[in-house]
Amino acid sequence: MILVQADTACAENQIQTGTTTTAAGSTCYACQTKALTCAEWVKENHSDYTVYTGGGYISTGKVAVLASGTASISQSGTIEFVGPKFFDYEGCKNQETPVLTISNTTQAFISAYNIDIEFDISSMEDPGCSSRFKSCKDYATGTANGSDPSSRFSSCMGTNYGTCNYYDRDTSCCNIIASILPPDGTKNTMLIKDASISSNAAVFKIGTNHTLKFQGKSSVSTSCEHKTDYGCRSIFAGGGSRTVNVIFDVNSSTVVNGTVYMFYSSLMQVSHGARVVIQGGSEAGLFVNQNGYTPTYYGDQGVHNYGTIITDKIGFHAGQLNNYSGSAFSTGSVGVSSSSWPGRITHTANSKIKIGSVCKLTNSQSEYKFTANTSNNPFSGSSCTIQ
């Protein structure tokens, strides 16, 4: 606190807080430094962040979202959204978590910290894609001659339709959704930390050299306008390279409303102390499709669980789930989309597994295989608790 005489004004960055009388009888004002607002403090201390306080368009880069609002965002590039609680300043920490509503489709590379993001968009059918989809599928099937028709289909569709999959329907492929898709050629991590992401159409699509990582307490919720053959994908990870990762970090807690689809040689890791709840409803909450290979072929990929996974249903197409000591896995049922290749769940000692109403604490390494024509569930056990 600074005292100034009554005929002297406080400095520009100060406010008058009261008067006092000196021993000599003079009246003085008390001046205190004016507290900066959160926006002022961020601009002064973090000039690398663009401050958003509502409305308009958001380009790429670092964005401090300090008020709720509706905005369109860049169609590509890298965007890092942070809420006020991200900053180490009392005036920011006391603010409520803002809700940013995004109104357009995008394929930007998005990270989010301490913020709620809602994608409120409408899917739009691309008629050019629909005709191309059908001709490419005919081409891929008719000329495969033992080679992978999926690869031929992808080549035929080209980069303009990079969200398409050979196993999709054309309605699934050609309705443009808000794919949150890292740009090709980058080796980056999209980090979701203490953030809530919800959408009527958006999906995190993770490709070659990319990682989607969850930290803290987060959620992802998707209610698709147009579902794919494998349900409403909230997270789709897949590519032709073994560099596609979905990581739930140590001691994180994540809720996913929708399908987590692990395709081809992608890797999902639930780290020690992490908890993942996947609510897929009637669809498979967690689907592992390692593309026709025996599960052991990509055994180091698939799903690796060191923490806790709870899901309505797990589905396999030659997929593999590995549970390690101290982990817990719970599912209401197991589904398999191929009779040729089994789904496989493996365990080390001291891991808990619950399928349906049967729960087991493994005492030694064990393995369960599931095929489309499995008549009996090979899993049996005694009581244990998974919360």
Side-chain angles (χ1 to χ4, degrees), residues 5-6 8 47 50 52 62 69 115-116 125 169 172 225 236 243-244 271-272 280 292 300 319 322 341 350 363:
Q5 292 184 354
T8 304
S47 58
T50 299
Y52 174 85
K62 296 181 177 181
I115 185 175
D116 295 340
E125 185 170 344
R169 298 184 297 267
S172 304
E225 291 185 358
F236 175 70
T243 57
V244 184
S271 304
H272 293 281
D300 58 333
N322 304 282
W341 307 105
N350 301 317
N363 297 316

Side-chain angles (χ1 to χ4, degrees), residues 22-103:
T22 67
S26 297
T27 300
C28 296
Y29 290 113
C31 296
Q32 288 185 336
T33 301
K34 186 192 304 182
L36 298 176
T37 66
C38 182
E40 289 170 338
W41 185 88
V42 171
K43 289 177 181 177
E44 187 172 299
N45 293 275
H46 292 275
S47 58
D48 53 332
Y49 280 88
T50 299
V51 174
Y52 174 85
T53 54
Y57 170 78
I58 298 176
S59 187
T60 57
K62 296 181 177 181
V63 183
V65 181
L66 305 183
S68 297
T70 298
S72 59
I73 65 173
S74 176
Q75 295 294 318
S76 60
T78 299
I79 308 176
E80 176 187 303
F81 292 112
V82 301
K85 291 180 174 62
F86 171 80
F87 298 102
D88 187 21
Y89 178 62
E90 203 64 32
C92 292
K93 289 182 177 180
N94 291 333
Q95 287 194 201
E96 293 185 1
T97 299
V99 179
L100 178 64
T101 302
I102 296 174
S103 58

Side-chain angles (χ1 to χ4, degrees), residues 177-191:
I177 60 174
S179 290
I180 303 172
L181 176 68
D184 291 335
T186 61
K187 293 184 178 180
N188 289 314
T189 296
M190 290 192 288
L191 179 62

Side-chain angles (χ1 to χ4, degrees), residues 19 52 60 67 73 96 101 106 113 143 148 157 159 164 174 177 193 203 222 232 251 271 289 298 328 334-335 363 387:
T19 61
Y52 174 85
T60 57
I73 65 173
E96 293 185 1
T101 302
T106 181
Y113 310 76
T143 62
D148 182 7
M157 290 300 292
T159 56
C164 296
C174 296
I177 60 174
K193 182 176 181 180
V203 58
T222 310
C232 181
N251 297 327
S271 304
N289 178 0
Y298 284 131
V334 179
N363 297 316
Q387 296 179 338

Side-chain angles (χ1 to χ4, degrees), residues 67-288:
S68 297
T70 298
S72 59
I73 65 173
S74 176
Q75 295 294 318
S76 60
T78 299
I79 308 176
E80 176 187 303
F81 292 112
V82 301
K85 291 180 174 62
F86 171 80
F87 298 102
D88 187 21
Y89 178 62
E90 203 64 32
C92 292
K93 289 182 177 180
N94 291 333
Q95 287 194 201
E96 293 185 1
T97 299
V99 179
L100 178 64
T101 302
I102 296 174
S103 58
N104 64 299
T105 59
T106 181
Q107 291 191 342
F109 186 104
I110 291 177
S111 291
Y113 310 76
N114 303 93
I115 185 175
D116 295 340
I117 298 178
E118 296 181 353
F119 286 85
D120 184 12
I121 59 175
S122 298
S123 293
M124 301 170 291
E125 185 170 344
D126 182 344
C129 170
S130 185
S131 60
R132 184 172 174 81
F133 180 95
K134 292 173 182 177
S135 63
C136 283
K137 198 141 190 176
D138 289 342
Y139 159 74
T141 303
T143 62
N145 295 324
S147 61
D148 182 7
S150 177
S151 176
R152 286 179 175 267
F153 171 81
S154 298
S155 298
C156 176
M157 290 300 292
T159 56
N160 291 334
Y161 303 102
T163 59
C164 296
N165 187 289
Y166 178 79
Y167 301 100
D168 282 337
R169 298 184 297 267
D170 63 322
T171 53
S172 304
C173 165
C174 296
N175 285 283
I176 303 170
I177 60 174
S179 290
I180 303 172
L181 176 68
D184 291 335
T186 61
K187 293 184 178 180
N188 289 314
T189 296
M190 290 192 288
L191 179 62
I192 309 301
K193 182 176 181 180
D194 296 319
S196 172
I197 313 293
S198 63
S199 177
N200 63 331
V203 58
F204 281 100
K205 188 172 188 295
I206 320 303
T208 301
N209 293 327
H210 300 136
T211 296
L212 174 62
K213 180 180 286 188
F214 292 89
Q215 291 182 338
K217 187 175 182 179
S218 300
S219 65
V220 179
S221 177
T222 310
S223 55
C224 301
E225 291 185 358
H226 298 275
K227 297 180 180 181
T228 69
D229 289 344
Y230 295 104
C232 181
R233 299 174 185 169
S234 287
I235 300 172
F236 175 70
S241 174
R242 301 167 79 174
T243 57
V244 184
N245 303 295
V246 177
I247 307 295
F248 299 90
D249 217 350
V250 175
N251 297 327
S252 61
S253 177
T254 309
V255 175
V256 180
N257 186 352
T259 301
V260 177
Y261 187 93
M262 305 303 298
F263 178 63
Y264 201 56
S265 56
S266 57
L267 168 69
M268 169 176 157
Q269 178 175 303
V270 180
S271 304
H272 293 281
R275 176 182 172 86
V276 182
V277 179
I278 307 170
Q279 301 166 335
S282 59
E283 304 158 349
L286 174 61
F287 195 92
V288 192

Side-chain angles (χ1 to χ4, degrees), residues 1-18 28-34:
M1 184 172 65
I2 300 173
L3 296 179
V4 299
Q5 292 184 354
D7 58 352
T8 304
C10 293
E12 185 178 349
N13 67 335
Q14 294 178 330
I15 56 174
Q16 219 175 73
T17 60
C28 296
Y29 290 113
C31 296
Q32 288 185 336
T33 301
K34 186 192 304 182

